[in-house]
Amino acid sequence: MKTILVIGNGMVGYKFCEKLVAKEAAKNFKIIVFGEEKRPAYDRVHLSEFFQNGDAKALEMAPRSWYEENNIELITSERVTDIHRASKTISTINEKTYSYDYLVMATGSSPFVPSIKGIEKKGVFVYRTIEDLEGMMSYAAELKKKNSEAKAAVLGGGLLGLEAAKAVMDMGLEPHVVEFATKLMPRQLDTRGSNVLKNKLETMGISIHLSKATNKILGDDAITGMEFGEYDKIDVEMLVVSAGIKPRDELAKTCDLAMGVRGGVIVNNKMQTNDESIFAIGEVALYNNMIYGLVAPGYEMADVAVDQILGKTETLMSADIDMSTKLKLIGVDVASFGEPFMPVEKGYSILFENKTKDLYKRINVSHDGKKLLGGILIGDASDYNMFHQIYLNGLPIPEDAEELIIGSRGEGGKSFGSAMDIPNAAQVCSCESVTKGAICGAIKDDGCNSLEEVIAKTKVTTGCGGCKPMVVDLVNQTLKSLGREVKENICEHFEYTRQQLYGILKVKKITTFDEAIDTCGKGDGCEICKPLVASIFASLYNDTPNKEEVIQDSNDKFLANIQRNGTYSVVPRIPGGEITPDKLIVIGQVAKKYNLYTKITGGQRIDLFGALLNDLPAIWKELIDAGFESGHAYGKSLRTVKSCVGSSWCRYGMDESVGFAIELENRYKGLRSPHKIKGGVSGCIRECAEARGKDFGLIAVEGGWNLYVGGNGGATPKHALLLAEQIDNETVIKYLDRFMMYYIRTAAPLMRTSTWVEKLDGGIEELKNIVINDSLNIAAELEAEMQGLVDAYECEWKQAIENEDIVAKFRHFVNSPDTDDNIVFVPMREQLHPSAWD
């Protein structure tokens, strides 16, 4: 029996063992693994999760029993000190000797600690192991006992540095990030992307210090600050060093293995060193003159080394290593793929930036416009997996490449195909080298019936997890193609669809988020489920966002739409577009008093832009005193019911469209739904109110109204479909009550009525049966529910201004009444607008 010694029991060392024992030939080898730490291998990629639960077991790649079951001898708390190539033996710190036939170095890396005066002081930590984290948590707890406002800095603004900043936040310390470079994540982001990320992190309470060269750690015994220059310093009581890594290659020096100038053990594409019986994998291996700090290349190296040792010599390391990565940093999506930085000679870049939403997207395209070469995504990386596959597989892109970005926004739909369109050979999970074919095959050929079963079968998503959205799509679409049931849960905290959760909250009469998650969920919730549950409560009880503002989307929280310079827009309701001269004058007076930019909207209202946060309650009060209400322009709710002048004025008008539009808008105002709802009422078939471009629309004809549903404008406009013909006003309201309540009950999150009608089994004909023929015998119930919401309506602006605690939240600074002096306006066409950013 030949012996394989594995030095290092990190993620890559463990993966080598896992891949080896999965082979039949593994039974011919004795396997011994050495680990310096006392624990079996654990997941360093998700190390920050330790701060949330303190559970080291939850991070384990496998328990000790796994090693025993697979005939692997695991020796922990034992450091290997020497390799003796001539005798093919190693020595440990306890002066034990072991012989080998094959030696696998998986020693990984250690944190790079810059040579800074005072770096050895108490309170300075590195961010690498569970023991490091335990030391940080203990020290932070002592700091907070002495000073509840204690500060901590992280040295390094790369991937690990920002993870460490999240750890500092989790420990309850005020976080500061210090970076030598001029931007955050300098290897992954361009300057614009870094600025967007920086702004987002600063709004979350993390102070960012760029272009800072630390020359001294201040303090006597313990750290009290960091000095960058004579008059440039910050006061901090703790420092976490996360300034990069250096390979743990000291063993190679003991046996004269070939090494790189800056460290790392040189390997070929077989993962062999200059000694054919010694392999190096992971962050200790220097391949292509590079140390790869991502888990996916390390796992591929482990796979290659296993096959080489077992004699499968055709398995070689990829010549080019894909460094694409997607992660969520402190709750912010960040991704880069391919070539994030585009040399002019290779192609051109298309950029999209929305600073109010902290979104940045950059795609790099070949000069002929036919290939996607790389890109950067910040704030919304939902398209990363598809972009990555387009890049890897050379899939075609739209003739107008900018549609890749524009089409992924809002209601625009996708400008590329689904995950099912990529080749079967396409690698979806780079960590575990799982292809699309293997994922779909697990369902079609191996009988898997759920995502969990596919993961157990293929190990897909078990590495960094970045591929999970695409894997979910592939699993769901494959199951659907086979006619099997697909359960589309809201998120990890609620194992229900929106429709199911709506029913549960209704039946159990649950009225708060905490009660909802305690009764039928788990964990603390997230940015997906919190606004969704808030929307359901509003749809069930007509709760306004004022009741639980902490679970609302940002616009709902402030009852206004935030604009690109941090100010807000105010849109009072003008039902049907009808307004008196007196009310027009009030709007003008308010706009002049608060220096607001005014514009007529497409929904026949007046939008007031540029309101400061602290002015919102005062503006609302003046409008309410004049008879206005909130227009809900910020909510997923009824927006407007647009009208033409109808028979009141128009010589072609066949009915009084304005009056009916006002009646409908006043009936459904404040109605919260899975997505926004717009209506229109046209007095004749000339359709001046564009009723067929709305979620519901009415057109006056001989004998009454034609009622249309399921239309929308936007990037992918759709005509509404005819639901009923020649009906009177009372019947219109009855059918609309049923239609909208059924939509609210059954639609998926953020699904417009147009998509909902399309996806409804039986489409518009089935909807007619439900709404008109009452095929489900729920019409009376739907009408009663709608009437309950109508009766429960309250203006949320009025609620806010009458509650001192709510009013107190509308200010820029929690500890000062001052306004934000960074907001600057400049003249434009006799009004003001935000100044351009540098």
Side-chain angles (χ1 to χ4, degrees), residues 574-607:
I574 302 176
E578 182 181 85
I579 187 168
T580 66
D582 286 339
K583 284 190 172 182
L584 277 173
I585 289 169
V586 170
I587 288 178
Q589 289 171 336
V590 169
K592 288 186 71 173
K593 179 175 179 179
Y594 295 96
N595 292 319
L596 305 178
Y597 170 89
T598 56
K599 188 181 183 303
I600 307 296
T601 74
Q604 300 178 334
R605 309 197 280 194
I606 299 172
D607 205 338

Short mmCIF file of all heavy atoms in Angstrom, two decimals, residues 574-607:
data_model
loop_
_atom_site.label_atom_id
_atom_site.label_comp_id
_atom_site.label_asym_id
_atom_site.label_seq_id
_atom_site.Cartn_x
_atom_site.Cartn_y
_atom_site.Cartn_z
N ILE A 574 -53.85 63.51 -7.21
CA ILE A 574 -54.77 64.36 -7.97
C ILE A 574 -55.70 63.39 -8.72
O ILE A 574 -55.43 63.02 -9.86
CB ILE A 574 -54.02 65.29 -8.95
CG1 ILE A 574 -53.02 66.17 -8.18
CG2 ILE A 574 -54.99 66.16 -9.74
CD1 ILE A 574 -52.16 67.05 -9.07
N PRO A 575 -56.75 62.90 -8.07
CA PRO A 575 -57.58 61.85 -8.67
C PRO A 575 -58.09 62.21 -10.06
O PRO A 575 -58.65 63.29 -10.27
CB PRO A 575 -58.74 61.71 -7.67
CG PRO A 575 -58.19 62.21 -6.38
CD PRO A 575 -57.26 63.31 -6.76
N GLY A 576 -57.87 61.28 -10.98
CA GLY A 576 -58.34 61.46 -12.35
C GLY A 576 -57.68 62.59 -13.10
O GLY A 576 -58.04 62.89 -14.24
N GLY A 577 -56.70 63.27 -12.47
CA GLY A 577 -56.03 64.39 -13.11
C GLY A 577 -56.80 65.70 -13.00
O GLY A 577 -56.39 66.71 -13.57
N GLU A 578 -57.89 65.71 -12.25
CA GLU A 578 -58.72 66.92 -12.10
C GLU A 578 -58.25 67.71 -10.89
O GLU A 578 -58.10 67.16 -9.80
CB GLU A 578 -60.18 66.53 -11.95
CG GLU A 578 -61.11 67.73 -11.83
CD GLU A 578 -62.56 67.32 -11.66
OE1 GLU A 578 -62.96 67.06 -10.51
OE2 GLU A 578 -63.28 67.24 -12.67
N ILE A 579 -58.03 69.01 -11.06
CA ILE A 579 -57.56 69.85 -9.96
C ILE A 579 -58.12 71.25 -10.10
O ILE A 579 -58.27 71.78 -11.21
CB ILE A 579 -56.01 69.89 -9.93
CG1 ILE A 579 -55.49 70.60 -8.69
CG2 ILE A 579 -55.44 70.48 -11.21
CD1 ILE A 579 -53.99 70.42 -8.45
N THR A 580 -58.44 71.86 -8.98
CA THR A 580 -59.00 73.22 -9.00
C THR A 580 -57.87 74.24 -9.08
O THR A 580 -56.72 73.96 -8.71
CB THR A 580 -59.81 73.48 -7.72
OG1 THR A 580 -58.91 73.46 -6.59
CG2 THR A 580 -60.89 72.44 -7.54
N PRO A 581 -58.18 75.46 -9.54
CA PRO A 581 -57.16 76.52 -9.56
C PRO A 581 -56.57 76.79 -8.18
O PRO A 581 -55.37 77.03 -8.03
CB PRO A 581 -57.92 77.74 -10.10
CG PRO A 581 -59.03 77.15 -10.93
CD PRO A 581 -59.43 75.89 -10.21
N ASP A 582 -57.41 76.73 -7.13
CA ASP A 582 -56.91 76.99 -5.77
C ASP A 582 -55.85 75.96 -5.36
O ASP A 582 -54.84 76.29 -4.74
CB ASP A 582 -58.08 76.98 -4.78
CG ASP A 582 -58.96 78.22 -4.88
OD1 ASP A 582 -58.48 79.24 -5.41
OD2 ASP A 582 -60.12 78.15 -4.44
N LYS A 583 -56.12 74.69 -5.70
CA LYS A 583 -55.15 73.67 -5.36
C LYS A 583 -53.87 73.80 -6.20
O LYS A 583 -52.77 73.54 -5.70
CB LYS A 583 -55.75 72.28 -5.53
CG LYS A 583 -56.72 71.89 -4.42
CD LYS A 583 -57.12 70.42 -4.51
CE LYS A 583 -57.91 69.99 -3.29
NZ LYS A 583 -58.26 68.55 -3.33
N LEU A 584 -54.02 74.20 -7.43
CA LEU A 584 -52.83 74.47 -8.26
C LEU A 584 -51.97 75.56 -7.64
O LEU A 584 -50.74 75.47 -7.61
CB LEU A 584 -53.25 74.88 -9.67
CG LEU A 584 -53.58 73.78 -10.68
CD1 LEU A 584 -54.12 74.38 -11.97
CD2 LEU A 584 -52.34 72.94 -10.98
N ILE A 585 -52.64 76.60 -7.13
CA ILE A 585 -51.92 77.71 -6.51
C ILE A 585 -51.15 77.23 -5.29
O ILE A 585 -49.99 77.60 -5.06
CB ILE A 585 -52.90 78.85 -6.15
CG1 ILE A 585 -53.39 79.54 -7.44
CG2 ILE A 585 -52.25 79.87 -5.22
CD1 ILE A 585 -54.54 80.48 -7.22
N VAL A 586 -51.79 76.35 -4.46
CA VAL A 586 -51.12 75.83 -3.27
C VAL A 586 -49.86 75.06 -3.65
O VAL A 586 -48.81 75.23 -3.04
CB VAL A 586 -52.08 74.92 -2.46
CG1 VAL A 586 -51.31 74.18 -1.37
CG2 VAL A 586 -53.19 75.75 -1.85
N ILE A 587 -49.98 74.22 -4.68
CA ILE A 587 -48.80 73.46 -5.11
C ILE A 587 -47.69 74.42 -5.54
O ILE A 587 -46.50 74.23 -5.20
CB ILE A 587 -49.16 72.50 -6.26
CG1 ILE A 587 -49.99 71.34 -5.72
CG2 ILE A 587 -47.90 71.96 -6.94
CD1 ILE A 587 -50.45 70.35 -6.77
N GLY A 588 -48.05 75.47 -6.26
CA GLY A 588 -47.05 76.46 -6.68
C GLY A 588 -46.43 77.16 -5.49
O GLY A 588 -45.20 77.38 -5.45
N GLN A 589 -47.25 77.50 -4.50
CA GLN A 589 -46.72 78.18 -3.31
C GLN A 589 -45.76 77.27 -2.53
O GLN A 589 -44.70 77.72 -2.06
CB GLN A 589 -47.89 78.61 -2.41
CG GLN A 589 -48.71 79.76 -3.00
CD GLN A 589 -49.99 80.01 -2.19
OE1 GLN A 589 -50.49 79.13 -1.51
NE2 GLN A 589 -50.50 81.23 -2.29
N VAL A 590 -46.14 76.01 -2.39
CA VAL A 590 -45.26 75.06 -1.69
C VAL A 590 -43.94 74.90 -2.45
O VAL A 590 -42.85 74.89 -1.85
CB VAL A 590 -45.97 73.70 -1.52
CG1 VAL A 590 -44.98 72.64 -1.05
CG2 VAL A 590 -47.12 73.81 -0.54
N ALA A 591 -44.04 74.77 -3.76
CA ALA A 591 -42.83 74.60 -4.57
C ALA A 591 -41.91 75.81 -4.44
O ALA A 591 -40.69 75.66 -4.34
CB ALA A 591 -43.21 74.37 -6.02
N LYS A 592 -42.48 77.01 -4.44
CA LYS A 592 -41.65 78.22 -4.32
C LYS A 592 -41.04 78.32 -2.92
O LYS A 592 -39.87 78.66 -2.76
CB LYS A 592 -42.50 79.46 -4.60
CG LYS A 592 -42.88 79.62 -6.07
CD LYS A 592 -43.60 80.94 -6.34
CE LYS A 592 -42.63 82.12 -6.23
NZ LYS A 592 -43.28 83.38 -6.66
N LYS A 593 -41.83 78.00 -1.90
CA LYS A 593 -41.37 78.13 -0.52
C LYS A 593 -40.18 77.21 -0.24
O LYS A 593 -39.22 77.60 0.43
CB LYS A 593 -42.51 77.82 0.43
CG LYS A 593 -42.13 77.90 1.91
CD LYS A 593 -43.35 77.68 2.80
CE LYS A 593 -42.98 77.74 4.26
NZ LYS A 593 -44.17 77.55 5.14
N TYR A 594 -40.23 75.98 -0.80
CA TYR A 594 -39.18 74.99 -0.50
C TYR A 594 -38.23 74.78 -1.68
O TYR A 594 -37.46 73.83 -1.68
CB TYR A 594 -39.83 73.67 -0.10
CG TYR A 594 -40.61 73.76 1.20
CD1 TYR A 594 -41.99 73.99 1.18
CD2 TYR A 594 -39.98 73.67 2.43
CE1 TYR A 594 -42.72 74.09 2.37
CE2 TYR A 594 -40.69 73.77 3.62
CZ TYR A 594 -42.05 73.99 3.58
OH TYR A 594 -42.76 74.09 4.76
N ASN A 595 -38.27 75.69 -2.66
CA ASN A 595 -37.36 75.63 -3.82
C ASN A 595 -37.41 74.28 -4.52
O ASN A 595 -36.37 73.64 -4.75
CB ASN A 595 -35.91 75.94 -3.39
CG ASN A 595 -35.74 77.37 -2.95
OD1 ASN A 595 -36.29 78.28 -3.57
ND2 ASN A 595 -34.99 77.59 -1.88
N LEU A 596 -38.60 73.84 -4.87
CA LEU A 596 -38.78 72.53 -5.48
C LEU A 596 -38.94 72.66 -7.00
O LEU A 596 -39.58 73.58 -7.49
CB LEU A 596 -40.01 71.83 -4.90
CG LEU A 596 -40.03 71.69 -3.37
CD1 LEU A 596 -41.32 71.02 -2.92
CD2 LEU A 596 -38.83 70.91 -2.88
N TYR A 597 -38.34 71.71 -7.70
CA TYR A 597 -38.49 71.61 -9.15
C TYR A 597 -39.85 70.95 -9.42
O TYR A 597 -40.20 69.95 -8.81
CB TYR A 597 -37.36 70.75 -9.71
CG TYR A 597 -37.49 70.36 -11.17
CD1 TYR A 597 -36.99 71.17 -12.17
CD2 TYR A 597 -38.12 69.17 -11.52
CE1 TYR A 597 -37.09 70.80 -13.51
CE2 TYR A 597 -38.23 68.79 -12.85
CZ TYR A 597 -37.72 69.61 -13.84
OH TYR A 597 -37.84 69.23 -15.16
N THR A 598 -40.63 71.51 -10.34
CA THR A 598 -41.96 70.97 -10.61
C THR A 598 -42.07 70.46 -12.04
O THR A 598 -41.53 71.04 -12.97
CB THR A 598 -43.05 72.04 -10.39
OG1 THR A 598 -42.78 73.17 -11.20
CG2 THR A 598 -43.09 72.46 -8.94
N LYS A 599 -42.81 69.33 -12.18
CA LYS A 599 -42.99 68.73 -13.50
C LYS A 599 -44.32 67.97 -13.54
O LYS A 599 -44.69 67.32 -12.57
CB LYS A 599 -41.85 67.76 -13.82
CG LYS A 599 -41.89 67.25 -15.25
CD LYS A 599 -40.76 66.28 -15.53
CE LYS A 599 -40.77 65.84 -16.99
NZ LYS A 599 -42.06 65.23 -17.37
N ILE A 600 -45.04 68.10 -14.66
CA ILE A 600 -46.26 67.32 -14.86
C ILE A 600 -45.87 65.88 -15.18
O ILE A 600 -45.03 65.63 -16.04
CB ILE A 600 -47.11 67.89 -16.02
CG1 ILE A 600 -47.37 69.39 -15.81
CG2 ILE A 600 -48.41 67.13 -16.15
CD1 ILE A 600 -48.19 69.72 -14.60
N THR A 601 -46.46 64.93 -14.49
CA THR A 601 -46.14 63.52 -14.72
C THR A 601 -47.01 62.93 -15.83
O THR A 601 -48.02 63.51 -16.22
CB THR A 601 -46.35 62.69 -13.44
OG1 THR A 601 -47.76 62.51 -13.24
CG2 THR A 601 -45.75 63.37 -12.23
N GLY A 602 -46.62 61.74 -16.28
CA GLY A 602 -47.43 61.03 -17.28
C GLY A 602 -48.75 60.55 -16.74
O GLY A 602 -49.65 60.18 -17.49
N GLY A 603 -48.89 60.53 -15.41
CA GLY A 603 -50.12 60.10 -14.78
C GLY A 603 -51.03 61.25 -14.40
O GLY A 603 -51.90 61.10 -13.55
N GLN A 604 -50.80 62.42 -15.02
CA GLN A 604 -51.64 63.60 -14.80
C GLN A 604 -51.56 64.11 -13.36
O GLN A 604 -52.56 64.43 -12.73
CB GLN A 604 -53.09 63.32 -15.20
CG GLN A 604 -53.26 62.94 -16.67
CD GLN A 604 -54.69 62.60 -17.04
OE1 GLN A 604 -55.49 62.19 -16.20
NE2 GLN A 604 -55.03 62.77 -18.31
N ARG A 605 -50.35 64.16 -12.83
CA ARG A 605 -50.12 64.73 -11.51
C ARG A 605 -48.98 65.73 -11.60
O ARG A 605 -48.35 65.88 -12.65
CB ARG A 605 -49.80 63.64 -10.49
CG ARG A 605 -50.77 62.49 -10.49
CD ARG A 605 -50.67 61.66 -9.24
NE ARG A 605 -49.58 60.71 -9.23
CZ ARG A 605 -49.47 59.72 -8.35
NH1 ARG A 605 -50.39 59.58 -7.41
NH2 ARG A 605 -48.47 58.87 -8.38
N ILE A 606 -48.67 66.35 -10.49
CA ILE A 606 -47.55 67.29 -10.44
C ILE A 606 -46.53 66.76 -9.44
O ILE A 606 -46.85 66.52 -8.28
CB ILE A 606 -48.02 68.70 -10.03
CG1 ILE A 606 -49.02 69.24 -11.05
CG2 ILE A 606 -46.82 69.65 -9.91
CD1 ILE A 606 -49.68 70.54 -10.65
N ASP A 607 -45.32 66.57 -9.93
CA ASP A 607 -44.23 66.02 -9.11
C ASP A 607 -43.36 67.16 -8.63
O ASP A 607 -42.94 68.02 -9.43
CB ASP A 607 -43.43 65.02 -9.95
CG ASP A 607 -42.72 63.99 -9.09
OD1 ASP A 607 -42.52 64.26 -7.90
OD2 ASP A 607 -42.37 62.92 -9.62
#
